[in-house]
Amino acid sequence: MTLEIILFILFALIGAASGVLMITRKNPVMSALFLILNFAALAGVYLLLNAQFIAVVQIIVYAGAIMVLFLFVIMLLRPDAEISILRTNPLLKYVAIGVGVLVFAQLIYLIFFFKPLNITPSDVAERIQIGTVENIGTEIYTKYIIPVQVAGFLLLSATIGALVLAKKKFE
Amino acid sequence: MIPVEYYLVLSAFMFTTGVIGVLIRRNAIVLFMSIELMLNSANLTFVTFASFLGDSAGQVFIFFVMTVAAAEAAVGLAIMIALFRNKQTLNADEVNVLKW
């Protein structure tokens, strides 16, 4: 057992467990906190994959900005306690389990029995090279400049849309 | 060296968790958080293949996924505020005026 395997198991267990806890907690604030834990564990997995910049952005943008927005809205609205749909409609439990098993089985089938690509792991020096800020910045501002502009426009329209939707009165 | 399948199975498990979350929860904000979980499992797959194939396109793609997730969160939560102002509920089953 190398340190890499131990760290991977640790982060994977935290990620998987916090995901399950996220969908089973009644209190939405607890759900949001477990989702933040999940994002932090994912950032650790990204570090194991030598994607340093993505790991940092994951913490800053997802665990920081987006989840603060979620927590703010939960605390602003204070929704009344959720009546579990599993209690009002017990049949749905079996439907959810069935769909979950089906989706998971499909993904596992794809992963293990369908290999169009012969993946030969790239060497570590190359993997570290592609994850640096320098390399990703160069790629974004040269090869992917038009998609970046489109993404910026999307964010602008989302900002305007959020302002219009959250206004007190519609004209 | 961890095999590529380990990362993919973790990603598949998180995606399934998100799907089940969308099915069993009725709080609209928690539905949103389940969708974020699914987006993140897709991100994990992107990073895995970017790393294992030695191609940075996968890592660049994550920025666009994050942009869309941020835009979705901003607009969606604004819709939820407007909804709560009109109906005083966040239960997705009670919001059915467009259903017939």
Side-chain angles (χ1 to χ4, degrees):
Chain A
M1 288 263 277
T2 58
L3 184 64
E4 195 186 7
I5 294 273
I6 294 172
L7 282 176
F8 175 77
I9 291 173
L10 179 73
F11 286 134
L13 279 182
I14 294 176
S18 60
V20 172
L21 285 169
M22 192 276 275
I23 62 164
T24 49
R25 293 306 93 182
K26 271 216 183 71
N27 187 344
V29 177
M30 292 303 286
S31 289
L33 292 178
F34 276 118
L35 191 57
I36 292 176
L37 184 64
N38 181 282
F39 289 165
L42 261 189
V45 177
Y46 291 165
L47 277 182
L48 286 177
L49 285 164
N50 297 308
Q52 313 98 320
F53 187 45
I54 298 291
V56 175
V57 169
Q58 168 89 4
I59 294 284
I60 295 175
V61 175
Y62 260 121
I66 294 182
M67 290 317 292
V68 164
L69 192 64
F70 271 91
L71 277 172
F72 178 74
V73 171
I74 292 171
M75 291 176 179
L76 177 77
L77 298 184
R78 282 182 173 277
D80 41 349
E82 181 183 355
I83 303 149
S84 176
I85 192 159
L86 298 181
R87 201 158 300 147
T88 53
N89 189 357
L91 193 70
L92 194 85
K93 191 174 168 184
Y94 302 106
V95 175
I97 290 174
V99 172
V101 167
L102 199 69
V103 170
F104 194 61
Q106 279 183 338
L107 291 170
I108 293 295
Y109 176 77
L110 275 177
I111 291 166
F112 286 102
F113 299 102
F114 186 74
K115 278 189 186 163
L117 289 168
N118 186 18
I119 294 173
T120 48
S122 48
D123 59 310
V124 176
E126 193 190 358
R127 291 172 71 173
I128 292 174
Q129 178 54 37
I130 64 163
T132 56
V133 184
E134 186 188 359
N135 183 46
I136 292 184
T138 312
E139 289 270 323
I140 281 181
Y141 288 110
T142 52
K143 205 169 156 191
Y144 296 95
I145 184 66
I146 292 180
V148 168
Q149 299 285 342
V150 175
F153 194 76
L154 175 71
L155 281 177
L156 173 70
S157 47
T159 316
I160 297 171
L163 281 175
V164 170
L165 283 170
K167 254 194 332 191
K168 273 251 152 57
K169 282 256 180 263
F170 286 102
E171 274 101 51
Chain B
M1 194 71 196
I2 303 169
V4 64
E5 284 87 0
Y6 285 28
Y7 294 104
L8 296 179
V9 169
L10 174 63
S11 168
F13 183 79
M14 277 172 47
F15 189 86
T16 313
T17 315
V19 171
I20 294 177
V22 169
L23 284 174
I24 65 170
R25 295 304 295 263
R26 277 298 157 263
N27 185 327
I29 293 180
V30 181
L31 291 188
F32 250 55
M33 290 196 280
S34 300
I35 292 171
E36 296 287 334
L37 193 66
M38 287 194 266
L39 284 171
N40 264 279
S41 75
N43 274 356
L44 178 59
T45 312
F46 269 130
V47 177
T48 305
F49 280 119
S51 187
F52 275 86
L53 297 173
D55 187 351
S56 56
Q59 297 203 4
V60 174
F61 237 83
I62 292 202
F63 283 90
F64 302 122
V65 176
M66 278 185 183
T67 312
V68 172
E72 175 230 331
V75 174
L77 292 173
I79 289 175
M80 258 156 237
I81 290 176
L83 180 74
F84 195 77
R85 203 174 272 146
N86 287 320
K87 297 205 98 160
Q88 272 72 44
T89 182
L90 281 180
N91 188 332
D93 277 346
E94 288 176 35
V95 186
N96 52 7
V97 278
L98 279 182
K99 221 156 124 185
W100 58 276

